[in-house]
Amino acid sequence: MANAEDSVEAPDVGELTPPDRTLMGPGPSDVHPRVLRAMSTPLVGHLDPSFVEIMDEVQELLRYTFRTDNQWTIPVSGTGSAAMEAAIGNVVEPGDTMLVPTNGYFGGRMASMARRAGGEVVEVDAPWGEPLEPADVSDALAEHDPDVFGFVHAETSTGVLQPNVSELTAAAHDHDALVIADTVTSLGGVELRVDDWGIDVAYSGPQKCLSCPPGASPLTLSDEAMDKVLSRETDPRSWYLDLSLLEGYWGDERAYHHTAPITNVYAIREALRLVAEEGIENRWDRHERLAGALKAGVEAMGLEMNAPDDYWLPSLNAVRVPDGVDDGEVCDALIDQYDLEIASGLGDLEGEIFRIGCMGHSARPENVIYVVTALGDVLESMGADVDPGAGVTATRRALE
C-alpha cells in the first residue's frame, strides 16, 4: 500500500473548451457537422463484419474522388504525411533514383523521405512559386533516368497548381519511371484525374479540401506501382506503413495488421459521402467560384496574388504581404479579434505571403466575405495601403 507521503495530487484539468475559430488557413479546414456527428457514433471492432463493410465503402468513395479504378486505394492510418511516407517509402527501394521538384516546401519533403528510404535523389529545378515546365522535366528525365518521378500537384507553400500533368506523366513513362503525385491540397477541391492523367501513385490528406479531421489519409496505387511494391527485394523500413502487410488488411483477406483508427474511418466515410452527394465536378466548380470571389476581393483591396492566373491554386490562395506590415502580427490580430485563422509563408516565402485556404466546408460565401472583411480591417488598422471597402464590394459582386 502506498505511503500517504508518496501520494501525488491529480492534475486539475477542466472540461475541453477549444475556441470556435473560422479556419481559412492552409489546413485544417472547418469540419462539416455531419462528419462530427459520424465521429460520435458507437465504436465497433476493427475486424467487425460491419466495419469491414465500412472499409469497402470508404475504398469505393475514395476511387470516385481520386477518379481512379485502382484496386489499391485505401485510407492510411495516420495524417497526410503518413500517406506520403507510405507512398515514397514503399515505391522507392534502396538504390533507386527519384526525381523531385525544387519549387516548394513539399517537394523538399519528398526528397527527404526518398533519402530515408535509401533512394538517390536528383532534382528538376524550378523557382519557388512557379510550376514545373514539361521541357525541364523531360531534360531531367533524360539526364538522370530515374526509377520514380515525384511532383506536387497543389503546392501548399506557394499557392501554385501544377498544369500540364499529363505531359509530365507521359514523359516519365517514356523513361519507365513511376509517377508519385502529392495531392494533399487538391483532392476534392480542384480537378484531379488519376487514371486519365497517368498518375501511378497519389497521396493526400483528409483535413484540407475533404474537411475531415486528420487521422485516415487517402492513398491510391496503380497495379504497376503495387507490383513494384510486392516484388521488392528488401522490406520497407517502416513496418507500420509496409503496403505488402497492409494489403492483407485492406485486401480480400482482411487479416489483422493494426487497430485501425475507427472513428477517423467513420469521419472520412462521411466526408467522402458529402463529396459524392455534391458531385466531384460540382465540387471543383464550387471551389473555383468561391476562391475566385476571394481573389477578386483581395486584389480590389490593393493586394497582389503570389501566383499568376495560369497556375493559381483555388484551394490555397497565396497573397503577397503589403509593405509596412508584419505578417505574423496580422495573423495574430485576426485570431485575437476575429477568431479567424490564416497563415504566414513557409520556407523561401516566409514573411512574404499570407496563405488563405478556401477548402471543403470552409469554402462558403459567408466565410469568403468574412475573411476579406477581417483582413482588410486589420491591414488598414496597421497602416497598410489598402481599400477594405473596395475589397468587400468586389467579393460580393463576384459571389452574385
Side-chain angles (χ1 to χ4, degrees):
M1 186 172 183
N3 190 304
E5 295 179 358
D6 296 331
S7 64
V8 178
E9 186 175 347
D12 182 14
V13 178
E15 184 179 354
L16 181 65
T17 55
D20 187 9
R21 311 284 199 208
T22 299
L23 300 178
M24 297 293 285
S29 59
D30 289 341
V31 177
H32 196 286
R34 277 176 44 183
V35 175
L36 294 175
R37 285 198 298 271
M39 296 181 74
S40 69
T41 56
L43 288 184
V44 296
H46 59 284
L47 294 172
D48 188 291
S50 67
F51 190 67
V52 170
E53 290 182 16
I54 290 169
M55 293 167 72
D56 290 338
E57 291 165 348
V58 169
Q59 289 181 282
E60 182 182 3
L61 288 162
L62 278 174
R63 291 185 189 104
Y64 170 77
T65 306
F66 271 124
R67 307 311 299 129
T68 185
D69 293 325
N70 288 341
Q71 177 184 359
W72 304 110
T73 303
I74 66 170
V76 175
S77 298
T79 65
S81 293
M84 182 181 194
E85 191 148 19
I88 295 171
N90 281 271
V91 174
V92 177
E93 301 181 62
D96 279 357
T97 298
M98 182 172 180
L99 179 66
V100 300
T102 64
N103 62 337
Y105 183 89
F106 291 97
R109 185 171 290 186
M110 276 188 161
S112 178
M113 289 188 180
R115 290 190 186 99
R116 286 172 178 255
E120 177 186 347
V121 171
V122 294
E123 295 175 337
V124 53
D125 291 325
W128 271 58
E130 295 185 16
L132 299 178
E133 290 293 339
D136 294 338
V137 173
S138 294
D139 290 346
L141 289 164
E143 178 182 355
H144 301 292
D145 196 27
D147 302 282
V148 182
F149 164 55
F151 74 96
V152 180
H153 183 222
E155 179 52 77
T156 317
S157 64
T158 63
V160 167
L161 180 66
Q162 177 63 50
N164 309 311
V165 171
S166 295
E167 292 182 46
L168 305 185
T169 60
H173 291 153
D174 285 344
H175 289 266
D176 296 322
L178 291 173
V179 178
I180 300 179
D182 179 318
T183 67
V184 169
T185 310
S186 56
L187 181 68
V190 297
E191 184 177 10
L192 171 66
R193 301 180 185 275
V194 165
D195 286 0
D196 288 351
W197 293 354
I199 296 169
D200 296 293
V201 183
Y203 59 83
S204 192
Q207 76 278 11
K208 296 185 184 279
C209 298
L210 299 181
S211 281
C212 179
S217 299
L219 174 66
T220 186
L221 296 93
S222 66
D223 287 345
E224 292 79 9
M226 200 64 187
D227 285 346
K228 187 177 191 300
V229 171
L230 297 177
S231 62
R232 288 176 60 112
E233 294 183 1
T234 59
D235 291 334
R237 296 187 178 181
S238 171
W239 177 91
Y240 182 67
L241 298 174
D242 184 341
L243 291 175
S244 69
L245 302 178
L246 288 173
E247 176 226 0
Y249 182 50
W250 283 97
D252 295 335
E253 190 178 352
R254 300 298 191 197
Y256 169 70
H257 175 260
H258 68 283
T259 302
I262 294 153
T263 297
N264 290 100
V265 176
Y266 291 172
I268 198 168
R269 177 185 181 275
E270 191 63 20
L272 293 168
R273 281 186 69 221
L274 287 162
V275 173
E277 288 175 12
E278 183 175 4
I280 189 63
E281 294 185 353
N282 291 336
R283 195 175 181 92
W284 297 338
D285 290 344
R286 170 168 62 87
H287 280 78
E288 184 172 10
R289 177 173 58 85
L290 291 170
L294 170 61
K295 179 173 176 289
V298 297
E299 289 179 334
M301 189 191 306
L303 302 178
E304 180 184 350
M305 301 295 291
N306 187 58
D309 291 348
D310 288 346
Y311 38 91
W312 160 64
L313 174 57
S315 50
L316 195 287
N317 297 269
V319 179
R320 303 293 301 181
V321 176
D323 293 338
V325 299
D326 179 272
D327 59 311
E329 291 181 4
V330 172
C331 293
D332 290 345
L334 288 170
I335 284 281
D336 293 341
Q337 298 173 30
Y338 287 95
D339 276 323
L340 172 65
E341 180 185 280
I342 67 170
S344 301
L346 281 175
D348 288 4
L349 293 176
E350 183 178 357
E352 296 184 16
I353 61 170
F354 299 117
R355 294 184 297 147
I356 307 176
C358 191
M359 300 185 283
H361 189 54
S362 289
R364 289 174 283 156
E366 59 268 33
N367 283 359
V368 172
I369 286 283
Y370 189 52
V371 72
V372 172
T373 303
L375 181 62
D377 177 51
V378 168
L379 287 174
E380 185 179 47
S381 73
M382 292 183 176
D385 182 16
V386 293
D387 185 344
V392 172
T393 298
T395 303
R396 285 181 174 149
R397 286 176 177 167
L399 289 172
E400 290 172 359

